[in-house]
């Protein structure tokens, strides 16, 4: 690769235009159809060996195949924006009401398309290069949807490269980390079912109040919010409600929403087991029944030492 050629002012300003056009398109997770069409339009100009579209929804994989055995390398970007109203007034502001690129995926799209241009101009002499554009990164479901799609079966990379912009560091600096780069995250909704009673006779009902209080304390004890620890685990309460604003009624129902983080999937499973045990024991002690639902599951993203 001739870096002087590849990173000319013209190359960079063209990529800026590409980024701005994605910025204006801003689409929510799972409905990134215009952005995907734009990606395909840009890729077609580069004559890749193959383009696989509609993978796991709106996902796309472009392949530059040397036809010779060798390492297969994949570069990834995301297609989706966030449900945030754009307040910027520049010409390329979001055209979608209530939706804008606040996570910078427009930039990731432009850089991976720039990578595609470099690959197209310097076709691999062995192995393959894949460029992947995934839907629904914000909801955590898009990557898995692509992996689960039979259309993805032929995509077998040996190495995967992805990046995310991080505010707060100097421009142009690349931050790398050994092992986990992003925590494993998931959230739980716990529903407590008891029995309402007259507020004058709480002993005749079954209130979730003490179980909720007890569980909040127990969960705090299960956390060690020390990010330098390999077994880092944190349980964060995010929402709770109980009963009604009716002063004559003792609560018979409650909900507790928490979100949990660990560095590794192994630690995540161990934390889930600990929480499940605590929920079972505490609800039993307070004669409540319960339901749990896990939502917004994001698997930990880590680097291989290699
Ligand atoms: Zn993002």
């Amino acid at each position: 690769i001739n870096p002087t050629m590849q990173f000319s002012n013209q190359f960079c300003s063209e990529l800026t235009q590409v980024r701005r056009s994605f910025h204006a398109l801003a689409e929510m997770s799972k409905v990134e159809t215009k952005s995907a069409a734009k990606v395909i339009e840009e890729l077609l100009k580069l004559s890749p060996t193959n383009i696989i579209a509609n993978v796991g929804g709106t996902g796309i994989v472009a392949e530059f195949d040397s036809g010779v055995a060798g390492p297969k390398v994949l570069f990834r970007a995301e297609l989706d924006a966030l449900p945030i109203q754009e307040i910027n007034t520049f010409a390329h502001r979001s055209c979608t009401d209530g939706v804008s690129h606040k996570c910078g995926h427009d930039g990731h799209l432009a850089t991976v398309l720039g990578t595609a241009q470099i690959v197209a101009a310097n076709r691999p002499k062995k192995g393959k290069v894949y460029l992947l554009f995934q839907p629904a990164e914000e909801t955590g479901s898009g990557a898995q949807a692509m992996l689960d799609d039979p259309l993805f079966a032929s995509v077998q990379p040996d190495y995967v490269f992805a990046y995310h912009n991080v505010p707060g560091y100097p421009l142009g600096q690349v931050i790398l980390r050994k092992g986990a780069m992003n925590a494993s995250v998931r959230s739980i909704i716990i529903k407590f079912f008891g029995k309402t009673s007259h507020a004058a006779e709480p002993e005749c009902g079954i209130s979730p109040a003490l179980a909720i209080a007890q569980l909040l304390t127990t969960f705090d004890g299960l956390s060690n919010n020390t990010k330098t620890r390999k077994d880092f685990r944190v349980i964060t309460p995010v929402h709770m409600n109980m009963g009604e604003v009716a002063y004559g009624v003792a609560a018979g129902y409650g909900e507790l929403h928490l979100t949990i983080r660990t560095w590794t999937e192994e630690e995540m499973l161990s934390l889930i087991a600990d929480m499940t045990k605590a929920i079972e024991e505490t609800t039993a002690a307070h004669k409540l029944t319960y339901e749990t639902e896990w939502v917004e599951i994001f698997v930990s993203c880590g680097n291989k030492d290699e």
Side-chain angles (χ1 to χ4, degrees):
I1 297 171
N2 174 351
T4 338
M5 179 192 80
Q6 301 300 351
F7 297 102
S8 66
N9 285 342
Q10 195 198 335
F11 177 70
C12 293
S13 71
E14 280 173 14
L15 279 187
T16 303
Q17 287 313 313
V18 170
R19 176 178 64 76
R20 288 179 178 171
S21 59
F22 280 115
H23 190 93
L25 283 177
E27 294 170 292
M28 286 290 288
S29 304
K30 293 189 179 175
V31 292
E32 311 92 337
T33 50
K34 289 181 209 151
S35 307
K38 167 87 179 152
V39 166
I40 292 172
E41 183 191 316
E42 294 293 327
L43 288 169
L44 283 173
K45 295 178 194 165
L46 308 172
S47 311
T49 320
N50 189 20
I51 297 179
I52 317 172
N54 303 315
V55 188
T58 59
I60 299 152
V61 184
E63 185 182 318
F64 289 86
D65 188 356
S66 66
V68 179
K72 294 175 288 243
V73 183
L74 185 149
F75 298 92
R76 164 200 167 272
E78 318 89 336
L79 293 159
D80 54 339
L82 282 162
I84 302 171
Q85 180 68 40
E86 179 102 271
I87 53 166
N88 291 314
T89 52
F90 46 55
H92 59 282
R93 66 186 172 274
S94 170
C95 298
T96 317
D97 195 33
V99 182
S100 59
H101 271 294
K102 289 290 171 283
C103 203
H105 296 178
D106 49 338
H108 304 166
L109 285 166
T111 44
V112 173
L113 282 169
T115 307
Q117 285 186 39
I118 295 170
V119 173
N122 304 269
R123 300 222 162 209
K125 296 190 175 47
K126 57 178 181 173
K128 286 181 187 178
V129 176
Y130 298 109
L131 292 314
L132 180 147
F133 302 85
Q134 75 149 90
E137 186 261 359
E138 300 296 354
T139 58
S141 63
Q144 194 62 50
M146 285 192 85
L147 291 170
D148 292 343
D149 192 323
L151 285 172
F152 194 78
S154 68
V155 182
Q156 300 280 344
D158 299 305
Y159 301 94
V160 174
F161 293 90
Y163 84 99
H164 204 291
N165 67 89
V166 191
Y169 290 93
L171 186 67
Q173 190 165 323
V174 176
I175 315 295
L176 264 174
R177 227 177 131 142
K178 252 191 163 193
M181 189 71 202
N182 296 87
S184 176
V185 186
R186 49 180 93 190
S187 300
I188 186 172
I189 303 168
I190 313 168
K191 295 178 176 173
F192 301 88
F193 302 96
K195 198 175 132 213
T196 53
S197 65
H198 193 284
E201 298 175 325
E203 69 279 10
C204 296
I206 301 172
S207 169
L210 289 177
I212 292 174
Q214 199 175 318
L215 274 172
L216 284 171
T217 309
T218 306
F219 289 155
D220 190 51
L222 291 175
S223 296
N224 75 62
N225 190 6
T226 311
K227 291 172 188 72
T228 49
R229 275 173 64 162
K230 219 179 164 182
D231 64 348
F232 155 73
R233 36 154 72 182
V234 63
I235 305 174
T236 309
V238 292
H239 174 78
M240 61 191 274
N241 70 55
M242 193 194 76
E244 303 297 330
V245 187
Y247 298 95
V249 184
Y253 174 81
E255 257 179 49
L256 186 54
H257 298 228
L258 309 110
T259 190
I260 68 176
R261 279 171 169 75
T262 62
W263 284 135
T264 65
E265 290 307 307
E266 192 189 9
E267 194 60 37
M268 176 57 77
L269 294 177
S270 147
L271 179 55
I272 290 171
D274 290 348
M275 289 176 72
T276 305
K277 185 164 173 274
I279 295 164
E280 271 170 21
E281 287 175 1
T282 311
T283 51
H286 292 275
K287 300 186 172 62
L288 294 155
T289 56
Y290 72 95
E291 277 174 17
T292 56
E293 186 189 351
W294 289 97
V295 294
E296 306 234 343
I297 298 167
F298 295 85
V299 175
S300 166
C301 179
N303 289 313
K304 280 190 170 170
D305 286 354
E306 186 186 357

